[in-house]
Amino acid sequence: MCGRASLTASPEELEEAFGLSEPPAVSPRYNIAPSEPMLVVRAAEPGAREAALVRWGLVRPGSKDAKAPINLPIEHAARGSLRRSLRERRCIIPLTGFYEWKRAGKARQPYNVRRKDGTVFGVAGLWDRLESEGGKVIESCLVLTTAANGVVPPIHDRMPVILDPASYARWLVPAGQPGPDLMASFQQLSEDLFESYPVSPLVNRAGVEDPRCLEAVRSATLW
């Protein structure tokens, strides 16, 4: 799930929403696909946050790009090889929308899920840094997911973990070892703030960066 996303907020909006020291150097993105640059917000110096563009798809030692996971169920994050990332390298991924596909027979209709007011929101993620033998540094990330709620279940049974801004600071700077019921201690943004609607199949094609990816398809029923 969540195989494409969008981020159309201005640098100034991002600076204010995520408590950054300066506006990030970003342009509107209408169709962010796996392996492409994705903006993350992470802890920097004590009490500070920084924005960085990293690869979407977490690259781990010995892994191949084709197998770099873009999503991970949050209930699985506290165990296995990513426990250290969960403890030390959490991030917030700013988005203004994410795409999901609803199956109808053999057809798959893409939907955009966004805030009703169109503003940016923060998704829980993990990031990592890998240095190759040749000295090349790759920074990458993945999106943490949870059971779908609100407008998403008719489309898909999973969705990103959407953090309430009140939880941003505690998510970025965790205290102690995370337990198995990680999300019980974090407030998610209210499902009532979101809407979904069908969009053009343009979004199916990675590399298509076009505002038309976000336009509603009139021939389908809006939710």
Side-chain angles (χ1 to χ4, degrees):
M1 52 72 56
C2 189
R4 300 290 171 81
S6 64
L7 179 60
T8 58
S10 70
E12 292 74 22
E13 290 170 330
L14 293 165
E15 178 187 19
E16 181 177 359
F18 297 98
L20 300 171
S21 59
E22 60 183 5
V26 293
S27 301
R29 294 293 311 276
Y30 304 100
N31 187 13
I32 306 170
S35 79
E36 294 182 352
M38 175 172 265
L39 187 72
V40 301
V41 174
R42 58 194 180 189
E45 300 174 359
R49 300 173 187 172
E50 66 177 11
L53 285 170
V54 305
R55 182 191 189 279
W56 186 13
L58 198 70
V59 180
R60 305 285 294 168
S63 67
K64 296 183 179 180
D65 284 359
K67 295 185 178 181
I70 62 171
N71 302 314
L72 177 71
I74 194 163
E75 56 267 31
H76 297 167
R79 58 180 186 262
S81 63
L82 291 176
R83 281 180 295 180
R84 181 179 176 185
S85 294
L86 181 63
R87 188 175 63 249
E88 301 176 0
R89 289 184 168 174
R90 300 182 187 181
C91 65
I92 300 171
I93 300 172
L95 299 177
T96 47
F98 60 92
Y99 299 102
E100 293 291 2
W101 279 258
K102 181 181 181 182
R103 289 191 178 277
K106 294 183 179 180
R108 296 175 72 238
Q109 171 64 53
Y111 281 75
N112 182 43
V113 182
R114 68 176 184 181
R115 286 189 57 149
K116 292 177 181 177
D117 60 8
T119 56
V120 68
F121 54 91
V123 167
L126 302 178
W127 72 278
D128 210 338
R129 185 178 189 271
L130 181 67
E131 185 171 350
S132 68
E133 294 181 357
K136 181 181 179 181
V137 174
I138 301 174
E139 292 190 329
S140 58
C141 72
L142 59 70
V143 172
L144 291 172
T145 69
T146 188
N149 59 34
V151 298
V152 180
I155 311 169
H156 202 283
D157 60 355
R158 303 289 298 183
M159 65 180 286
V161 174
I162 302 173
L163 295 169
D164 187 286
S167 293
Y168 286 173
R170 200 151 47 90
W171 173 254
L172 289 177
V173 186
Q177 181 67 30
D181 192 13
L182 182 63
M183 281 317 299
S185 60
F186 290 97
Q187 184 177 354
Q188 295 190 68
L189 207 55
S190 171
E191 60 192 57
D192 296 333
L193 298 176
F194 288 83
E195 65 182 0
S196 65
Y197 61 91
V199 294
S200 166
L202 273 176
V203 74
N204 294 344
R205 293 156 51 197
V208 174
E209 278 292 339
D210 193 313
R212 291 178 297 170
C213 290
L214 295 173
E215 292 180 358
V217 177
R218 293 186 178 182
S219 59
T221 303
L222 291 179
W223 299 0

